[in-house]
Every structure is written in structure tokens, then in C-alpha cells.
Amino acid sequence: MKIAMVSEHASPLAVLGGVDAGGQNVHVAELSGALADRGHEVTVYTRRDDAAQPVRVLLRPGVEVVHVDAGPARAVPKDELFPYMGTFASVLAAEWFVDRPDVVHGHFWMSGHAALEAVAQVQARTGGVRIPVVQTFHALGVVKRRHQGAADTSPAEREWIEPAVGRSVDQVVATCSDEAFELKSLGVPLHRISVVPCGVDTSLFRPDGPVEDRTRPFRVLSASRLVRRKGVGTTIAALAELVHAGRDVELVVVGGAGVAGADLPDDPEYQRLDALARSLGVRDHVTFRGQLGQRDMPAVYRSADVVVCAPWYEPFGIVPLEAMACGRPVVASSVGGLIDTVVEDATGLHVPPRDERAVAAAVGALLDDPERREAYGRAGRERAEARYTWQKVAADSERVYERLLAGTGAVTATPATARPRTTHAGRVARAAQSTERTAR
């Protein structure tokens, strides 16, 4: 089948570790590739953020990336992209009118919004069957606001558009059980929610292979975008407790501005974390590596005794899967998708979010028990192979698409002479008016 992936800010071609480049980029790239391996034709639509980018790039056989001109051809923070989604949708509609996909899969709320509007435009022009739309949110605004409060930089429109997207698409693919419960509370019917997790490349991320050298007897690894909610500060504070208790341990932090740390000094979150490490007296125990390519990461994972993922909240979290696939134990916050992926006292340990003492205690217990670390690592690898390969994720996604296509005949266009059509944009506008009336 022809599958259109819409990922407005997260290009599968991006280098990971920047503020807006992380798990979604990996998810879109790997899912698209695995679907292509199953014989499907995948086109990924993402916004052009560099004038030098060609319109079309062959990512790999069966997967093409299309750069959409919507807004300035430069990097723009994702929370400032909403004004360009109308243009993005129009470009999609023009493309799909000529080359219609069998199914559309939106990634993130703005992609879903643009995809729905594009599908409505195509249907209005053709009077034909509506293209089914699947949506993966990757993060929900209601959860983000709950944890970040006033620090949430999402545009105001997200509050009503995101739930409208969830209620308007044909199927929502949640990446974990926690997200499914959140979607239900937003009014998405349970029969239109499927749970399909993110995956991991178990042929790349594996226990055997090169191991990066380290400078101290023990190494702890943190890998994430450098944004405050990822909890790297909590991990640094936990490291300080371990060091001050006499353990000779280093912390390697992967992520941040610039490839291999080239622009780290200008990254505000790096500056905050650097100051924190200095104030705690452990700056010489912390190494900031900046962004690293996917193929550089397995050797880094293998060099660690423990991988710590301590976010305040996490919609899914691919880092624990990569660590487990490399046979490394994980200390993870008991939030979101980490509750599903990391099995307590089997592949790692759960800790409360924002609790550096709990992180220090968990890491310390594992550093003191090499047999336990090895047992957790073996179990993590087995779990990754059994449940989280991209081949399995693609097969599960394919089943979602096939169920929708089997019922496509029931989703037909209303003749233009019968009554005016209501586009997704019109439904969103009515929802916004309703919200305003309620507020008044």
C-alpha cells in the first residue's frame, strides 16, 4: 500500500539530540523503513528547514522524504510552527490529489491537524472516498501542561485542536497504556485507540561490539534532548551523592546543541547543567558529549554500567529500549511509557520523578552488584527482541492500516448538493468557540 507519513517538525533525516530532534525522528525513520521492508511504499512529508534541502530525498529503498515549503526555510522551534500548518496542509492536498495515498499517518498534533485538513480538501475536490487517517501524538499537551505549567511553550491553539484531532482521525495509535488512558479522558473512543509501542533496531543496538573507553571505574549514561523536563539535572544531583559517598563514577551526557558538542557553550540548558555540576562539586565527573549519530551510540551504551532515564514525564522514551537492547540495566522514572518498557527488578529499577536521592540509591545498588547488572542486562535484551523490534512494530501498524482500509467503503463523501461540508478546520473553529463560551 501507499503510506503517507506526516511529520511536520521531526525529519527522519535530522541529527538527534537537539531541542526538537529526538525519539519522534527515530520513530518515523525506523517505522517507515520497516514498512518498506514489508513491501509498502512510504513517503514522509516534513517541513523544509534549510533552503539547500532538495524537494525529494530517497531515505532508503521504498522510503522517500519530501520537504514541504511552509514558513521560512530555516530552523523554527516546533511550538512556533502552527501558523504555517495551513500552507503545509495545502501542499499535502495538492500532492495527494495527484498521487493519492492509501492511508495517512500523522505524527504529533500539528501533523494530524494538517493531515486532516489536507484529506478534507482532497475529498472535497474529488467527491470520492475519504483517505483514512491514523494519528500518533508522541506527546500530549494536557500532560505537558500538567508537568510544566507556565513553562509550557505550546501555542494556545493546541488546547482545543489536539483533542479535536484525536476525535476526528480514524484511529489513534498510542505508544503506551498510560497514553491510552489520557486519550480516553480527552474524548477519544476506546474502540478507536490502538496501542503500538515504539521500537528499537536490535541489529544495531546489541550487547556485542565495540565499547567506548572510559576514564573512571564506573560509568553512568544519560542520553536525551537537553530540555529541563528530561531530568538530566536530577541525574547530575544523584551523581553528586554517589561521588560524595566515595564512589569513583563518571556521568556521560549525550544530547544538546551541535554535533559532538560543537555548539554546546551556547545551549541554555547546557549552561544551567554545567553550573549545577560545578555548584555540586562534580564538574570533573561529568562529560557533555553533545549530539551523536545513531551509529555512534551503541559503543557508548556498552561502555556504561547503568543508563539513567529520569524525566519528569515521558510519552514513551526510546533510550531505555536502546539501552536494554545493548544489554544494559536501566534506572527510569516511573512515568508514561517507561512504566511499560522497563520491568521493575527485572530489566531495571523504577524511581519517582524529580527524586535525586532515589536515583542515587538505585544506581548505587546496581554499581555494588555486578551480577544483578548482568541479569538485568540479559533480561532487557530478551525483552527488546521479543516485544520491541521495528519489524514487530511495523507488523502491528500494518494491521491498524489494513483494518481501516477494509472499512473504507463506509466512509464516503457527502454529495455537495446535499449539504455544506464541514472541514476539519471548521470543526476546530467550532470547538474553539465552544471553549471561549465556556470560559466566559
Side-chain angles (χ1 to χ4, degrees), residues 283-366:
R283 184 61 184 87
D284 59 335
H285 288 258
V286 182
T287 302
F288 292 92
R289 298 287 296 278
Q291 301 173 24
L292 294 179
Q294 281 286 91
R295 298 203 168 272
D296 296 322
M297 286 302 299
V300 181
Y301 280 116
R302 295 183 198 114
S303 72
D305 295 292
V306 181
V307 177
V308 176
C309 303
W312 304 354
Y313 69 96
E314 186 62 72
F316 183 79
I318 287 180
V319 167
L321 290 186
E322 293 176 346
M324 288 159 54
C326 288
R328 292 300 177 264
V330 180
V331 171
S333 299
S334 52
V335 296
L338 306 188
I339 299 171
D340 287 0
T341 54
V342 179
V343 181
E344 172 67 16
D345 200 26
T347 68
L349 297 172
H350 284 135
V351 293
R354 306 198 209 192
D355 189 337
E356 61 263 25
R357 290 186 177 179
V359 174
V363 172
L366 290 175

Side-chain angles (χ1 to χ4, degrees), residues 229-308:
R229 73 166 179 88
K230 290 294 186 178
V232 179
T234 300
T235 305
I236 291 174
L239 173 79
E241 289 203 20
L242 295 169
V243 170
H244 297 326
R247 289 186 175 87
D248 192 4
V249 56
E250 64 178 338
L251 170 65
V252 173
V253 178
V254 176
V259 178
D263 301 319
L264 269 179
D266 299 324
D267 187 317
E269 181 63 3
Y270 162 77
Q271 294 170 4
R272 187 186 74 83
L273 294 171
D274 176 70
L276 175 64
R278 293 181 189 280
S279 70
L280 295 172
V282 292
R283 184 61 184 87
D284 59 335
H285 288 258
V286 182
T287 302
F288 292 92
R289 298 287 296 278
Q291 301 173 24
L292 294 179
Q294 281 286 91
R295 298 203 168 272
D296 296 322
M297 286 302 299
V300 181
Y301 280 116
R302 295 183 198 114
S303 72
D305 295 292
V306 181
V307 177
V308 176

Side-chain angles (χ1 to χ4, degrees), residues 101-362:
D102 296 304
V103 65
V104 173
H105 192 156
H107 295 268
F108 201 59
W109 70 276
M110 282 185 283
S111 293
H113 173 67
L116 284 167
E117 187 58 29
V119 164
Q121 290 178 28
V122 172
Q123 187 179 12
R125 292 179 66 183
T126 62
V129 175
R130 178 182 180 277
I131 304 169
V133 180
V134 176
Q135 173 68 16
T136 298
F137 283 104
H138 294 277
L140 290 171
V142 64
V143 178
K144 190 176 181 183
R145 286 193 301 275
R146 186 183 306 149
H147 290 276
Q148 293 190 231
D152 179 11
T153 57
S154 299
E157 293 89 348
R158 184 175 186 176
E159 184 175 355
W160 62 83
I161 291 178
E162 188 169 73
V165 169
R167 295 190 291 264
S168 300
V169 297
D170 299 276
Q171 194 76 12
V172 178
V173 173
T175 55
C176 66
S177 54
D178 186 67
E179 184 185 0
F181 287 118
E182 294 285 355
L183 289 164
K184 181 176 180 293
S185 71
L186 292 177
V188 181
L190 278 175
H191 72 274
R192 287 203 277 114
I193 301 173
S194 301
V195 177
V196 179
C198 297
V200 63
D201 183 347
T202 53
S203 62
L204 174 63
F205 294 94
R206 60 184 192 274
D208 60 301
V211 180
E212 184 178 82
D213 291 336
R214 58 193 197 186
T215 60
R216 295 183 184 274
F218 294 107
R219 173 179 279 192
V220 174
L221 173 66
S222 170
S224 72
R225 292 181 290 125
L226 284 196
V227 291
R228 193 158 189 164
R229 73 166 179 88
K230 290 294 186 178
V232 179
T234 300
T235 305
I236 291 174
L239 173 79
E241 289 203 20
L242 295 169
V243 170
H244 297 326
R247 289 186 175 87
D248 192 4
V249 56
E250 64 178 338
L251 170 65
V252 173
V253 178
V254 176
V259 178
D263 301 319
L264 269 179
D266 299 324
D267 187 317
E269 181 63 3
Y270 162 77
Q271 294 170 4
R272 187 186 74 83
L273 294 171
D274 176 70
L276 175 64
R278 293 181 189 280
S279 70
L280 295 172
V282 292
R283 184 61 184 87
D284 59 335
H285 288 258
V286 182
T287 302
F288 292 92
R289 298 287 296 278
Q291 301 173 24
L292 294 179
Q294 281 286 91
R295 298 203 168 272
D296 296 322
M297 286 302 299
V300 181
Y301 280 116
R302 295 183 198 114
S303 72
D305 295 292
V306 181
V307 177
V308 176
C309 303
W312 304 354
Y313 69 96
E314 186 62 72
F316 183 79
I318 287 180
V319 167
L321 290 186
E322 293 176 346
M324 288 159 54
C326 288
R328 292 300 177 264
V330 180
V331 171
S333 299
S334 52
V335 296
L338 306 188
I339 299 171
D340 287 0
T341 54
V342 179
V343 181
E344 172 67 16
D345 200 26
T347 68
L349 297 172
H350 284 135
V351 293
R354 306 198 209 192
D355 189 337
E356 61 263 25
R357 290 186 177 179
V359 174

Side-chain angles (χ1 to χ4, degrees), residues 329 345-349 366 371-381:
D345 200 26
T347 68
L349 297 172
L366 290 175
E371 291 184 1
R372 192 179 182 189
R373 294 201 307 271
E374 290 178 10
Y376 284 3
R378 287 193 300 271
R381 174 65 186 184

